[in-house]
Amino acid sequence: MLALVLRGFLQRKLRVLLTAIAIALGVALMAGTYVLTDTINQSFASIFQSANKGHDVVITPTQSLGRQTRVQTSPITEETLARVRATSGVAEAAGSIFTPATFLRTSGSRLTTGGAPAFVASLTPPRFNSFRAVKGRFPAIADELAIDEATAERANLKLGEQMVVAGSAPAKRYTIVGITQFGGGQSFGGAGAAILTLAEAQRVVGSPGRFDQIDVAAAAGVTPAQLRDRIRPVLPSTVEVRTGTEQANKETSDLESNLSF
């Protein structure tokens, strides 16, 4: 039987060679896919940990699963922030914005972000700020912004130049006053981030007086879990209350689920 099989292989050398190549390519493709997925997961796990560093508790809108994406069921308001600040054990709390937007040159052409998305981010207190200015400074007035270093390099943007940010509100020109890095890297996983003052970021995304997230720091002697359990009862069910570690794990899990295909 073995001799018969070997004879068949020798008589059909081309077929055997093509079959071997197909198997090798298939194995290489699968191995490469797993390596790429694991690399992306690990990279973003580190990003999420950096983003939530210094956040003892994180409050986000409850999301429901729509036909294709998760949608927020209710926005976070100034009233929600006031309730959080009034909770015993809260040392500091701040609302923030981090929402997709479009970056343009003053000529109207789109700024390249290397295929990655672009976001509008609001300036947050130093305790919660994952960005640092490597050139210039953070914005102080509504007409200023700081842009991530990767976007600045790709688009050859310099301090003092102008760019346009468009969101739900009409597009507007801003003067670049700072170049930033996220958690020691040039950008947020390759995505572009334009940092504006909080009120201006809310205007751009069409959510005045509302936030995408509330970051909370615990007072001395209060653990993140204790503070989470104190805040949860005073807020409506339309928001999720997690520790910073839980939020990082949730974001990592969501990413892994989205990449599971």
Side-chain angles (χ1 to χ4, degrees):
M1 178 61 72
L2 179 60
L4 180 62
V5 171
L6 292 175
R7 188 181 304 118
F9 280 160
L10 292 175
Q11 291 176 349
R12 298 174 177 83
K13 294 180 182 178
L14 180 60
R15 181 182 299 178
V16 172
L17 177 61
L18 293 177
T19 301
I21 292 174
I23 293 172
L25 289 176
V27 172
L29 177 62
M30 290 300 296
T33 300
Y34 280 119
V35 169
L36 175 62
T37 303
D38 287 345
T39 301
I40 293 174
N41 288 340
Q42 292 174 6
S43 297
F44 273 91
S46 176
I47 287 172
F48 294 142
Q49 289 171 3
S50 297
N52 290 286
K53 185 178 181 180
H55 303 54
D56 292 316
V57 172
V58 177
I59 299 161
T60 57
T62 299
Q63 296 182 331
S64 62
L65 187 62
R67 290 186 176 182
Q68 295 181 331
T69 59
R70 292 183 180 273
V71 295
Q72 294 184 1
T73 58
S74 181
I76 297 177
T77 64
E78 292 278 5
E79 180 184 358
T80 306
L81 179 57
R83 289 186 183 184
V84 172
R85 286 174 171 167
T87 303
S88 174
V90 171
E92 187 174 8
S96 62
I97 295 292
F98 197 83
T99 299
T102 301
F103 298 166
L104 305 168
R105 297 186 184 277
T106 54
S107 63
S109 60
R110 186 185 293 265
L111 281 176
T112 178
T113 56
F119 294 89
V120 161
S122 62
L123 185 62
T124 57
R127 188 167 189 166
F128 305 126
N129 194 357
S130 300
F131 292 89
R132 67 183 183 93
V134 293
K135 293 181 182 178
R137 58 176 174 82
F138 288 107
I141 60 176
D143 294 333
E144 297 176 339
L145 67 72
I147 192 71
D148 67 281
E149 189 174 36
T151 299
E153 289 186 357
R154 281 192 296 258
N156 195 30
L157 299 173
K158 308 295 183 183
L159 294 179
E161 294 182 347
Q162 290 191 325
M163 61 176 284
V164 177
V165 177
S168 298
K172 176 181 171 180
R173 289 190 179 194
Y174 298 90
T175 300
I176 300 172
V177 297
I179 307 296
T180 66
Q181 288 185 347
F182 177 85
Q186 286 189 321
S187 64
F188 184 81
I195 303 175
L196 305 172
T197 62
L198 175 58
E200 182 63 15
Q202 290 172 322
R203 185 199 70 81
V204 170
V205 302
S207 299
R210 298 179 178 182
F211 311 101
D212 293 330
Q213 178 173 305
I214 293 178
D215 306 315
V216 190
V222 180
T223 68
Q226 289 173 335
L227 188 58
R228 175 202 60 199
D229 294 343
R230 292 181 188 182
I231 293 174
R232 176 68 278 177
V234 303
L235 298 184
S237 60
T238 54
V239 297
E240 300 284 353
V241 183
R242 303 184 181 92
T243 66
T245 299
E246 290 171 342
Q247 182 66 20
N249 292 339
K250 173 68 165 53
E251 291 169 345
T252 301
S253 176
D254 287 346
L255 177 69
E256 290 176 351
S257 177
N258 290 336
L259 290 176
S260 63
F261 69 90

